[in-house]
Amino acid sequence: MYHCNLHFYLVGSYSKAFETVKGISPLSHFTHAFVESDELDQDFIAGADVIIADLQELDVRESLKSFRTYKKPEAELLLLLGQEQTRLLEEDFSGIQDIWYVPASEEEIKFRFLRWQQSYKMSKDFWQTTNYFETTINSIPNLVWYKDKEGVHKKVNKSFCQAVNKPMEQIEGRGHFYIWDIDPDEYAKGEFICMESEYEVMEKRETCIFEENVKIGDSMRELTTYKSPLFDIDGSVMGTVGVAADVTQERLYERMILNNANTDFLTGLYNRRYVYQFIEEKEGTPFTIYYIDLDNFKTINDKFGHREGDRALTLTAKVLKNCMPTDVITRVGGDEFLIVELGEYCTEEVEKKRKWLEAQLEEVYKADEHLQYISASIGTAHADANADKHIIDTLVGEADAFMYREKKRKKQKRA
């Protein structure tokens, strides 16, 4: 993709080597432009990308001094020297890319220039690849890092630096604990898995995906990380490369959506969908359900309006949560509630708790001017460890029948 227009400065007495060089075609992505002079020209030196100097008729020391003074730092310097002139360099080869000994045949000059072209093109190809790479990793929001086998960060991208709030020069060459500000004793508690996952990737020698928690500042961040092994020239694993997406906000949204899908909007309790799913997942675990229905609830709506009816429902939810804080409490619809209590049950204890719940609710209702008209009827049903996970409908039916018997008993008692 890149294009490189090279400005050559050919300096020295007329040399057949120069004619040979000018006759060689540029490689792909390159064009050549030439200027020549017999004596050194400071302006030509300063403007050249490549200087090919035939120093057979020039002062070697003075010429080198001029080149080093006026040429661009990145300019390439190729010298044509006689064998006996090498000693004049005084073992100072700084800034010289190559030395061609002359006289040389046309084929030898072609060979040397082609070899230089290939080497120079390789450096530009490397620059392009590096440019692609750096632009890519530093323009994406994901964290990117490269580690050696000991977990030392050899390279990271800008997003990584922003995440740990440290400049790149403080990160590269440092280990996990320093970069993430994690105390080794805190890490040992097992809340983090970053380093262990690196070892797993190197052992499996394949790309693995992880869900990881990382502490950034005072908050925990959730990352989805893709980690791959890096192989040395001999095929051995020399480290890992990781790409991580910060999914903290996405996970929060997912939990909010799931919570909304499983929660009753008015009371904040679980809904029917959740409780059925919960019981199915607890197959093989004994449990008891309490089915609660408010007596005379319609009176509240008719007499005081739906706002008071809603308050009756939210107050009921609050009482149930206070009474059974470790159990799954659900509003299954209207003025009906369902509680799931896991564990072995005793008929006497369940009945005792059922009556206690009714009493707790009645006490709250009686203390409220508008809600003293209502009460609660509760039915129960049980499932042992061998019960089928689809037994919930049967149990609800049993508890519902129990609850209506209670309603009937209360009416008869009041009559």
Side-chain angles (χ1 to χ4, degrees), residues 269-270 275 278-279 287-293 316-332 336-342 350 353-354 356-358 361 378-382 392 395-396 399:
L269 298 177
Y270 291 117
V275 75
F278 175 80
I279 291 175
F287 63 90
T288 301
I289 65 171
Y290 297 80
Y291 200 91
I292 303 148
D293 183 85
T316 300
K318 181 179 179 181
V319 173
L320 294 178
K321 285 190 286 188
N322 289 337
C323 291
M324 304 184 73
T326 61
D327 300 314
V328 175
I329 305 173
T330 306
R331 181 187 176 202
V332 291
E336 298 176 344
F337 299 83
L338 183 74
I339 300 175
V340 178
E341 182 181 36
L342 298 178
V350 170
K353 183 174 287 188
R354 185 188 71 80
W356 175 74
L357 274 175
E358 284 186 348
L361 290 167
I378 303 176
T380 61
H382 317 287
I392 180 63
L395 292 177
V396 170

Side-chain angles (χ1 to χ4, degrees), residues 126-233:
F126 175 75
W127 168 85
Q128 177 175 260
T129 300
T130 302
N131 189 31
Y132 286 168
F133 171 71
E134 294 286 348
T135 302
T136 300
I137 68 170
N138 287 315
S139 63
I140 62 176
N142 294 341
L143 284 64
V144 180
W145 65 90
Y146 297 81
K147 293 182 184 179
D148 65 15
K149 293 175 67 174
E150 285 69 45
V152 175
H153 292 69
K154 310 303 288 185
K155 185 171 183 60
V156 298
N157 70 340
K158 289 182 179 179
S159 293
F160 189 100
C161 297
Q162 292 169 358
V164 300
N165 195 30
K166 289 182 175 68
M168 201 167 291
E169 57 269 19
Q170 287 187 18
I171 297 174
E172 294 179 351
R174 302 300 294 266
H176 183 84
F177 296 128
Y178 168 79
I179 292 171
W180 292 99
D181 296 320
I182 299 175
D183 185 274
D185 293 335
E186 184 181 3
Y187 185 91
K189 295 176 182 178
E191 191 172 6
F192 314 97
I193 64 169
C194 295
M195 293 178 66
E196 285 77 1
S197 61
E198 308 281 352
Y199 301 143
E200 180 179 341
V201 169
M202 289 189 284
E203 183 178 348
K204 290 183 176 180
R205 299 170 66 91
E206 62 182 26
T207 299
C208 301
I209 304 174
F210 303 94
E211 298 295 322
E212 299 183 333
N213 294 321
V214 174
K215 189 175 183 181
I216 301 178
D218 296 328
S219 64
M220 294 296 297
R221 309 298 293 179
E222 297 180 54
L223 304 179
T224 297
T225 61
Y226 298 78
K227 299 185 179 182
S228 303
L230 292 171
F231 297 101
D232 209 338
I233 294 174

